[in-house]
Amino acid sequence: MPKIKFRNPYSLKPPGSIYEILEHPGNSSIAIELAVFQEHRYAFFYWSKWLSKNKLINPPCLVTFDWHQDLCYPCEGEKEILKNLDITNQGDVSVCCWANLAGNNDGHILAAAFLNLIGNIYVLCRQATLETDWDDEEFVDLYGNKHLIKKFKDEKLMSEYLINSNEANVYFDIDLDYFTIKNPYNGIGKKFTYMPKRDIQKLLSVDSVLINWIFKRLCGITIATEPEHCGGLLKSNQILNTINSLYFEPELFSQNCEWKHKLNSN
């Protein structure tokens, strides 16, 4: 297959994705990016972009909230594709996310870990087929680095572990289907049910121990809207708006968007 020619291969992003440059929530002297997209695998693009841009010696750990664990190991064919990927070429990385990563969006995390784009992996999730799926794992990347993988059923357990860890930098990743309870698309129940809005706000509050810990170390935020897994586009947008109204004023992707908690402290 002929190589795709890009008009500007160093200034591209995956189809339908959008990002916002924001002041860091805890440090006014630096900026971060927040990216939103439908397909969760496009997070790989932004983790790659941010690591190259920030020139960090050690990649940030990943803290992700998701219904699924999304921890499918890359097969040998995927490893060969990743080995040959030029992560400095945004066009190539965009195409890789779209065409080469798993279309069911369950392989992007360990694909990123394979290239050492992310460090240790911490997953707050609802789904596990077997009880052993909750066990800790160790993933060895292309360069021989070891990545700890920990899964949590409860945000308090995640919080207790992370606040006692040595993690210094964090990518915060949210799949909006985490905020569903019964989810027929994911094989649970006949109708979608959802976390109450007040519970979402409590979980994500800047005053919570977990979010406060994350925000102090934040290097970027990725949000996958995954409307099919949320009961439709409107439901997905409603959950996104809950996050938007909790954190930002005026709203995301509008002129002069700022962190609400920083505005309220002035």
Side-chain angles (χ1 to χ4, degrees):
M1 187 177 75
K3 184 175 175 64
I4 296 174
K5 294 182 179 180
F6 303 107
R7 182 171 182 172
N8 185 351
Y10 299 98
S11 183
L12 285 174
K13 58 183 184 292
S17 68
I18 186 171
Y19 70 92
E20 175 95 80
I21 300 173
L22 297 163
E23 184 180 283
H24 191 279
N27 186 344
S28 300
S29 65
I30 59 177
I32 62 163
E33 290 183 2
L34 178 151
V36 178
F37 35 79
Q38 288 193 2
E39 303 286 352
H40 203 170
R41 65 186 184 275
Y42 291 165
F44 178 100
F45 171 88
Y46 288 98
W47 301 333
S48 171
K49 173 189 175 186
W50 297 337
L51 188 65
S52 299
K53 177 181 177 181
N54 296 328
K55 295 182 173 59
L56 296 171
I57 297 175
N58 297 311
C61 73
L62 178 69
V63 176
T64 179
F65 294 2
D66 198 340
W67 173 283
H68 308 92
Q69 294 187 357
D70 285 357
L71 294 172
C72 183
Y73 280 62
C75 66
E76 291 306 312
E78 290 169 324
K79 288 180 180 179
E80 285 303 310
I81 291 170
L82 293 168
K83 286 178 185 178
N84 294 313
L85 179 63
D86 178 4
I87 63 170
T88 68
N89 186 311
Q90 293 187 8
D92 287 349
V93 179
S94 293
V95 171
C96 179
C97 292
W98 168 62
N100 297 130
L101 297 184
N104 62 354
N105 296 295
D106 68 356
H108 51 284
I109 292 178
L110 293 188
F114 181 70
L115 293 182
N116 202 33
L117 303 179
I118 58 175
N120 294 326
I121 299 159
Y122 305 101
V123 184
L124 179 65
C125 61
R126 302 190 185 282
Q127 173 256 4
T129 304
L130 303 171
E131 190 59 32
T132 53
D133 290 340
W134 296 102
D135 293 346
D136 293 349
E137 300 177 58
E138 185 178 84
F139 179 79
V140 180
D141 68 27
L142 175 62
Y143 311 104
N145 302 300
K146 295 179 180 179
H147 301 254
L148 173 65
I149 305 172
K150 292 187 70 70
K151 289 89 75 173
F152 301 89
K153 301 178 184 180
D154 182 277
E155 70 272 12
K156 293 180 181 178
L157 296 175
M158 173 180 269
S159 178
E160 289 170 1
Y161 181 85
L162 288 176
I163 62 176
N164 291 302
S165 75
N166 294 321
E167 301 290 358
N169 297 294
V170 177
Y171 290 146
F172 188 27
D173 176 67
I174 304 172
D175 188 327
L176 297 186
D177 73 352
Y178 176 77
F179 303 107
T180 65
I181 304 299
K182 292 183 178 179
N183 191 316
Y185 197 90
N186 294 338
I188 303 297
K190 295 182 179 180
K191 292 183 178 181
F192 279 90
T193 62
Y194 303 88
M195 285 180 65
K197 182 177 179 179
R198 64 180 179 276
D199 290 347
I200 299 175
Q201 292 171 325
K202 181 179 179 181
L203 171 65
L204 297 178
S205 170
V206 295
D207 296 322
S208 79
V209 173
L210 178 58
I211 298 301
N212 182 268
W213 182 91
I214 291 172
F215 277 13
K216 286 180 178 178
R217 296 159 177 79
L218 193 62
C219 295
I221 302 176
T222 46
I223 299 177
T225 60
E226 296 280 5
E228 303 98 326
H229 292 272
C230 293
L233 186 61
L234 180 59
K235 291 294 186 181
S236 175
N237 286 344
Q238 287 173 342
I239 298 171
L240 180 60
N241 188 55
T242 297
I243 298 173
N244 172 69
S245 60
L246 177 65
Y247 287 152
F248 304 108
E249 187 178 310
E251 64 187 37
L252 274 170
F253 308 111
S254 63
Q255 190 174 17
N256 301 319
C257 175
E258 296 189 48
W259 292 96
K260 184 180 289 187
H261 72 279
K262 300 187 82 169
L263 287 172
N264 293 338
S265 66
N266 294 334

